[in-house]
């Protein structure tokens, strides 16, 4: 599909956009893209939530076959420490987050540093829907239809300098809006980072929505990063700054405990976390609950074809 075939991305609340979006989802569902989880989402949550719709074109190159996790599970079982440490805290408290006005600054080792308004950032490239497997280091996983475009589209615009080796992502930290920031569990703001070639990999998604709707606040509105071959904590939420650097950036979890959380944090079933085995995972929302058979975790979360080459020759036990 050429870029001109794709719809202009926009946030609209018109009945037309709602209708078109539904139609796309139905088409995708008919093609087997969403599996079993679509029906409950349609019947319960989608109709009840008057949120902003995103026009996103499904990209068949980035669809996993596993059934998607329900909208309800994706939006009610979250890690977002700015709103508390319980999985239910983000949904309960993220309402106080103000997502407009919002700007994202891209700075550091780039030829064209820029501060973009979120609504300009949204329109920078055609919005795609991609269904990604997501694996948390705690041993659970979800399958999430994300809406966004490859981060490389943005990075190419600002023209990284030859000296740029890493990309740092910095989340909003505001005590007034984020009750969890009062705790000192993290040296705020939340920070994450990638090597530049990881950030440029087409899988790395600058993400504005899920299930065809603007990101719910608990999932990192208005913009987050999603890196499906790494543990979930690498996917920083509610980003305000993207900085290109020569030095490997400090990252929040690595600062908390470098033995438990390395910089790379690639999903790797043969390298266990000191407290949790990474060999298997539990899919959130499996109707069999605790009796559901554990799923074998795949190397790079099943994305080895796309990313294994980034790490050729590296000892992944050492660079965990
Ligand atoms: N980003 C910020 N700013 N703050 C956080 O606490 N938690 C991370 C990551 N991004 C976190 C964050 C962790 S531990 C996980 S598992 C994922 O977000 C969870 O994303 P989800 O709630 O959308 O599934």
């Amino acid at each position: 599909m050429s870029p001109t075939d794709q719809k202009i991305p926009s946030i609209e609340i018109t009945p037309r956009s709602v209708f078109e979006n539904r139609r796309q989802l139905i088409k995708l569902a008919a093609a087997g893209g969403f599996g079993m989880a679509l029906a409950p989402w349609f019947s319960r949550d989608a109709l009840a939530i008057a949120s902003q719709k995103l026009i996103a074109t499904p990209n068949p190159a980035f669809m996993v076959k596993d059934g998607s996790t329900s909208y309800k599970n994706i939006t009610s079982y979250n890690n977002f420490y700015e709103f508390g440490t319980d999985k239910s805290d983000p949904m309960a408290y993220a309402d106080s987050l103000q997502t407009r006005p919002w700007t994202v600054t891209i700075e550091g080792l780039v030829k064209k540093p820029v501060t973009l308004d979120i609504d300009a950032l949204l329109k920078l490239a055609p919005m795609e829907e991609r269904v990604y497997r997501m694996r948390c280091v705690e041993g659970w996983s979800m399958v999430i239809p994300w809406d966004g475009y490859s981060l490389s589209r943005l990075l190419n615009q600002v023209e990284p300098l030859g000296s740029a080796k890493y990309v740092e992502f910095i989340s909003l930290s505001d005590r007034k809006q984020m009750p969890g920031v009062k705790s000192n569990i993290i040296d705020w703001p939340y920070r994450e980072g990638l090597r530049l070639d990881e950030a440029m990999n087409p899988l790395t998604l600058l993400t504005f929505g899920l299930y065809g709707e603007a990101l719910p606040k608990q999932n990192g509105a208005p913009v987050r990063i999603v890196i499906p071959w790494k543990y979930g904590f690498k996917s920083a939420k509610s980003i305000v700054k993207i900085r290109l650097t020569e030095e490997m950036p400090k990252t929040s979890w690595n600062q908390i405990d470098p033995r438990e959380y390395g910089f790379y944090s690639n999903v790797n079933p043969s390298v266990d976390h000191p407290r949790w085995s990474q060999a298997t995972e539990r899919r959130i929302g499996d109707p069999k609950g605790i009796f559901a058979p554990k799923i074998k975790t795949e190397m790079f979360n099943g994305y080895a074809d796309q990313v294994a080459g980034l790490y050729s020759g590296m000892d992944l036990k050492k660079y965990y």
Side-chain angles (χ1 to χ4, degrees):
M1 189 185 300
S2 78
T4 47
D5 294 334
Q6 294 175 317
K7 289 200 176 63
I8 305 294
S10 61
I11 282 199
E12 294 176 59
I13 319 174
T14 61
R16 187 181 139 83
S17 76
V18 172
F19 169 70
E20 287 198 348
N21 190 45
R22 290 277 137 73
R23 232 171 32 147
Q24 282 176 346
L25 288 171
I26 290 163
K27 266 201 311 211
L28 189 69
F34 281 126
M36 309 270 287
L38 187 67
W41 175 72
F42 258 78
S43 53
R44 285 181 286 112
D45 307 288
L47 302 175
I49 294 170
S51 62
Q52 290 177 306
K53 303 293 163 188
L54 285 177
I55 305 284
T57 306
N59 185 335
F62 297 98
M63 297 286 175
V64 296
K65 294 275 185 303
D66 325 23
S68 294
T69 306
S70 72
Y71 185 88
K72 193 174 174 203
N73 279 325
I74 295 170
T75 58
S76 59
Y77 191 81
N78 302 103
N79 279 327
F80 199 170
Y81 279 27
E82 287 84 338
F83 296 100
T85 53
D86 273 10
K87 298 284 184 280
S88 57
D89 285 342
M91 189 172 76
Y93 302 117
D95 215 32
S96 53
L97 177 67
Q98 297 300 311
T99 59
R100 295 290 188 286
W102 190 281
T103 57
V104 178
T105 299
I106 301 103
E107 60 178 31
L109 301 175
V110 297
K111 202 160 158 195
K112 297 178 175 168
V114 70
T115 294
L116 286 169
D117 182 77
I118 185 67
D119 293 306
L121 189 62
L122 255 160
K123 295 188 182 112
L124 193 100
M127 192 75 66
E128 295 175 10
E129 181 144 293
R130 302 180 179 185
V131 182
Y132 280 168
R133 277 182 224 102
M134 302 299 294
R135 172 68 157 79
C136 178
V137 73
E138 293 163 6
W140 47 270
S141 63
M142 297 194 194
V143 177
I144 305 186
W146 296 112
D147 303 307
Y149 53 79
S150 291
L151 176 67
S152 63
R153 303 292 293 256
L154 171 63
L155 295 178
N156 284 330
Q157 296 267 331
V158 297
E159 298 183 29
L161 298 177
S163 51
K165 301 273 183 305
Y166 295 93
V167 183
E168 184 180 11
F169 304 96
I170 301 165
S171 298
L172 179 73
S173 167
D174 181 353
R175 278 168 174 258
K176 287 199 265 349
Q177 302 179 48
M178 300 170 138
V181 170
K182 291 188 190 84
S183 95
N184 59 5
I185 186 162
I186 283 174
D187 182 13
W188 310 102
Y190 192 96
R191 289 163 197 273
E192 259 310 329
L194 294 173
R195 229 168 47 193
L196 181 58
D197 57 351
E198 298 177 317
M200 293 296 278
N201 187 279
L203 274 174
T204 302
L205 194 70
L206 193 63
T207 304
F208 301 88
L210 63 87
Y211 266 124
E213 296 181 349
L215 279 174
K217 292 175 178 179
Q218 59 269 37
N219 292 89
V223 61
R224 69 178 294 175
I225 203 78
V226 170
I227 312 137
W229 74 95
K230 293 179 180 276
Y231 294 114
F233 64 86
K234 297 294 286 182
S235 296
K237 295 176 167 182
S238 304
I239 292 170
V240 290
K241 214 170 261 186
I242 298 175
R243 187 184 292 144
L244 280 79
T245 63
E246 190 161 7
E247 305 281 310
M248 184 182 277
K250 292 199 169 93
T251 61
S252 291
W253 286 99
N254 181 254
Q255 279 189 304
I256 290 171
D257 192 336
R259 214 174 50 91
E260 296 201 355
Y261 307 99
F263 176 80
Y264 284 93
S265 297
N266 293 314
V267 174
N268 187 341
S270 58
V271 177
D272 283 337
H273 180 278
R275 285 182 283 143
W276 304 295
S277 161
Q278 299 302 326
T280 61
E281 64 200 61
R282 191 172 58 85
R283 198 50 65 75
I284 297 290
D286 188 304
K288 297 193 199 79
I290 53 164
F291 301 109
K294 286 214 171 180
I295 301 169
K296 272 188 150 186
T297 293
E298 289 179 70
M299 187 64 199
F300 299 116
N301 207 21
Y303 295 98
D305 286 352
Q306 292 98 314
V307 301
L310 294 168
Y311 311 103
S312 52
M314 280 174 70
D315 177 356
L316 296 179
K317 285 206 157 63
K318 185 169 168 207
Y319 298 104
Y320 56 93

